[in-house]
Amino acid sequence: MSKPSTATTDLAYQQCINPACRATLPVQQVAFACPSCGDLLDVVYQWDKLPVPKSLREFEAKWSRRLDPLCFSGVWRFHELLPFAPPEKVVSIGEGQTLLQPANKVAEYVGQKPGRLFLQYEGMNPSGSFKDNGMTAAFTHARMVGAKRVACASTGNTSAALAVYCSATSHGFQAVIFIGSGKIAYGKLAQALDHGALTLQILGDFDDAMARVQQVANRLNIYLMNSVNPFRLEGQKTVMFRVLEAFGWEVPDWIVVPGGNLGNSSAFGKAFLELKHLGLIDRVPRLAVINAAGARTLDELVGNRHLTWNDGLPDTQITKGYYGSLDAAGVKADTIASAIEINRPVNLKKCLRALDACNGLVRNVSDQEIMDAKAQVGAGGLGCEPASAASVAGAKKLRAEGIIGPDERVVCILTGHQLKDPTATVAYHSGDPQQFEKVLGSRGIHHAEFRNMPLIVANDIEEIVRTLEPNS
Ligand code: F0G
């Protein structure tokens, strides 16, 4: 196997994750799969030649320089930990101003002691989801290589973020978006349309759209913004840096994250591997990746079919066998958590590496568990969309199994904003039986234990007062 050489003299380069290949590519090359073997690519750094801080505390100095856009961004203030781009090429819209919220009511629901459960609220990003962390990095790379037309397949949030980065920056980027038919929550579709993205509704689901966008990107030389783009994941590492920052640089016990295309979990694993390698942390947290029951490829492969990272050589027959059985039975992903309605996660291998590095595990949660957890996050936290609540439902399950201890410090990642999917939320709370059946009942959700139903009151002051104070 040829090992191209120039890249290895660069301080940052791309490298195939397959240990039997390890082909390297310069940062400036646009490739979303290894040209030699087709496997995933990583962005790799020669850390010993780069100016990396001796302690994570050094990043705090940047807080006083927040008029500098690179210090203001919650991604680029960690630039030294994703040093692939010159500062003048950075494309930023002020992403990553997110926070870690202690959430005691949610802790009680999960079964954690007070002060032991935290919600990392990535819905605070400009486009309302964690995707902005990755987009800023991928757009920066696109700018470095002079790309103009950028595309993604999406269950909604990637497309929303992509559309925002095109509309809110002035580098001439044009957005092309592939979505599955009827598979996207209204809040997200609204964003894509409002921000002027060229939107293609493919007559198929996300897995179909993902396959097509990769073909089209190759054929028409369009820059691909999905998480097979390794630069996206560099930006998403910073979610973990901010979690550590919020804990005064202490490492929590658990990170619990929803799993769809498995970009986040992959990025988090890479972040911790690198921080450990650099001596900036002395231990890594455990990682729990939570699938929806109707899109549980990772859970099936890892939990039942014992697929492991295996030093970079996972048994591909296991995955092929499972995909073959899905095709034979005509099974498509199906969950109310449309953001993670994915059966063929493109970052599967990298996620296996993350699970290996972080003593990780996988669970699946039902749509009922997701919607109940979501209502609890709304009642006791900053709110989230259904997919995000899978993390809280998963933490509850792991607590009930005794795997997470009640004293352990647990961080659930809330990946997307509550207003992304108002249809699911209103169907859960409104008490309208038809709406409930149409949106939720058809997916096996039969009750709304945490419903907060609006009260219908006559347009009459006395009746309103009686409703508010029935005993007075
Ligand atoms: N949560 C939300 C709100 C998402 O939008 C996604 C993915 C995930 C979780 C899963 O993250 O792929 O890193 O495992 N949404 C993608 C999209 C697929 O197209 O917006 P992952």
Side-chain angles (χ1 to χ4, degrees):
M1 189 82 49
S2 71
K3 296 201 175 187
S5 52
T6 50
T8 48
T9 60
D10 297 342
L11 296 181
Y13 54 98
Q14 304 180 70
Q15 184 172 53
C16 174
I17 70 164
N18 176 358
C21 174
R22 287 277 188 262
T24 60
L25 282 66
V27 158
Q28 290 73 15
Q29 190 162 336
V30 178
F32 303 112
C34 171
S36 301
C37 76
D39 215 326
L40 294 167
L41 295 169
D42 258 339
V43 182
V44 178
Y45 305 100
Q46 298 205 44
W47 292 115
D48 53 343
K49 301 196 178 123
L50 283 158
V52 181
K54 299 264 172 304
S55 148
L56 287 169
R57 291 206 172 276
E58 288 182 31
F59 289 106
E60 289 167 24
K62 298 203 183 182
W63 292 343
S64 61
R65 307 210 311 266
R66 290 169 73 82
L67 289 182
D68 172 350
L70 265 79
C71 295
F72 179 75
S73 165
V75 172
W76 296 103
R77 75 169 177 267
F78 298 103
H79 197 169
E80 290 87 343
L81 298 175
L82 51 147
F84 68 82
E88 66 277 8
K89 293 287 183 193
V90 166
V91 178
S92 171
I93 58 170
E95 57 288 314
Q97 305 300 316
T98 63
L99 55 81
L100 186 80
Q101 182 198 19
N104 283 343
K105 201 164 171 219
V106 183
E108 196 182 327
Y109 176 67
V110 166
Q112 286 307 101
K113 291 207 173 136
R116 307 313 277 176
L117 186 114
F118 299 82
L119 303 172
Q120 174 66 17
Y121 187 47
E122 290 299 314
M124 281 175 81
N125 272 294
S127 84
S129 86
F130 74 91
K131 302 286 181 185
D132 297 4
N133 295 294
M135 281 299 159
T136 184
F139 269 86
T140 296
H141 183 248
R143 190 175 171 203
M144 285 167 68
V145 300
K148 289 290 180 222
R149 206 146 50 132
V150 295
C152 71
S154 183
T155 56
N157 281 325
T158 304
S159 53
L162 182 134
V164 171
Y165 273 83
C166 287
S167 68
T169 58
S170 50
H171 306 299
F173 290 116
Q174 301 147 21
V176 183
I177 286 165
F178 288 56
I179 55 177
S181 283
K183 294 287 190 180
I184 176 170
Y186 263 18
K188 306 173 190 183
L189 182 58
Q191 288 177 288
L193 300 177
D194 216 23
H195 292 296
L198 173 60
T199 304
L200 302 184
Q201 244 175 315
I202 305 293
L203 299 177
D205 66 4
F206 172 80
D207 293 317
D208 299 321
M210 186 70 229
R212 291 289 171 226
V213 77
Q214 295 188 71
Q215 293 168 331
V216 172
N218 270 333
R219 186 131 144 209
L220 301 183
N221 216 3
I222 300 178
Y223 188 93
L224 189 61
M225 285 287 178
N226 280 101
S227 52
V228 283
N229 179 332
F231 295 94
R232 269 259 321 257
L233 301 193
E234 289 308 289
Q236 287 172 221
K237 293 190 306 193
T238 64
V239 178
M240 290 300 102
F241 303 155
R242 296 197 295 275
V243 166
L244 297 182
E245 184 177 57
F247 283 129
W249 310 110
E250 281 177 22
V251 178
D253 298 302
W254 286 92
I255 301 292
V256 189
V257 62
N261 234 353
L262 305 178
N264 259 341
S265 44
S266 299
F268 298 173
K270 187 170 190 280
F272 288 120
L273 278 169
E274 289 174 349
L275 290 181
K276 188 93 194 301
H277 170 81
L278 293 169
L280 291 169
I281 53 173
D282 52 13
R283 70 181 185 94
V284 297
R286 292 195 70 183
L287 180 68
V289 184
I290 313 298
N291 276 164
R296 51 179 290 275
T297 292
L298 184 71
D299 183 45
E300 171 65 21
L301 293 177
V302 171
N304 291 342
R305 302 188 184 214
H306 312 296
L307 182 67
T308 61
W309 168 238
N310 190 29
D311 291 327
L313 295 170
D315 183 347
T316 49
Q317 290 311 317
I318 297 180
T319 313
K320 274 193 196 139
Y322 180 59
Y323 289 167
S325 69
L326 289 179
D327 287 342
V331 174
K332 295 280 184 188
D334 182 18
T335 167
I336 187 72
S338 56
I340 52 174
E341 194 173 50
I342 297 170
N343 263 346
R344 283 170 161 72
V346 294
N347 287 299
L348 175 63
K349 254 180 112 168
K350 286 186 177 176
C351 178
L352 295 174
R353 176 174 67 187
L355 292 170
D356 184 73
C358 298
N359 189 14
L361 45 74
V362 189
R363 289 292 181 275
N364 77 83
V365 289
S366 69
D367 282 4
Q368 180 78 58
E369 290 170 300
I370 286 173
M371 288 308 293
D372 288 340
K374 190 181 106 57
Q376 287 289 290
V377 171
L382 291 162
C384 65
E385 66 166 281
S388 313
S391 63
V392 171
K396 183 174 167 60
K397 185 162 269 189
L398 290 166
R399 175 68 207 95
E401 290 176 17
I403 292 175
I404 290 182
D407 281 319
E408 288 190 296
R409 204 142 59 156
V410 177
V411 178
C412 294
I413 311 298
L414 297 187
T415 45
H417 197 282
Q418 184 181 35
L419 298 178
K420 290 278 191 174
D421 189 354
T423 313
T425 308
V426 173
Y428 185 91
H429 288 292
S430 74
D432 174 341
Q434 270 174 349
Q435 182 83 343
F436 190 91
E437 186 45 40
K438 183 168 162 233
V439 181
L440 305 174
S442 55
R443 296 180 182 276
I445 300 172
H446 296 304
H447 50 269
E449 194 181 335
F450 306 110
R451 171 178 288 161
N452 177 29
M453 209 163 71
L455 305 177
I456 313 287
V457 191
N459 184 14
D460 174 88
I461 181 66
E462 295 310 323
E463 196 170 328
I464 292 171
V465 168
R466 259 198 309 282
T467 306
L468 292 174
E469 295 189 354
N471 300 323
S472 63

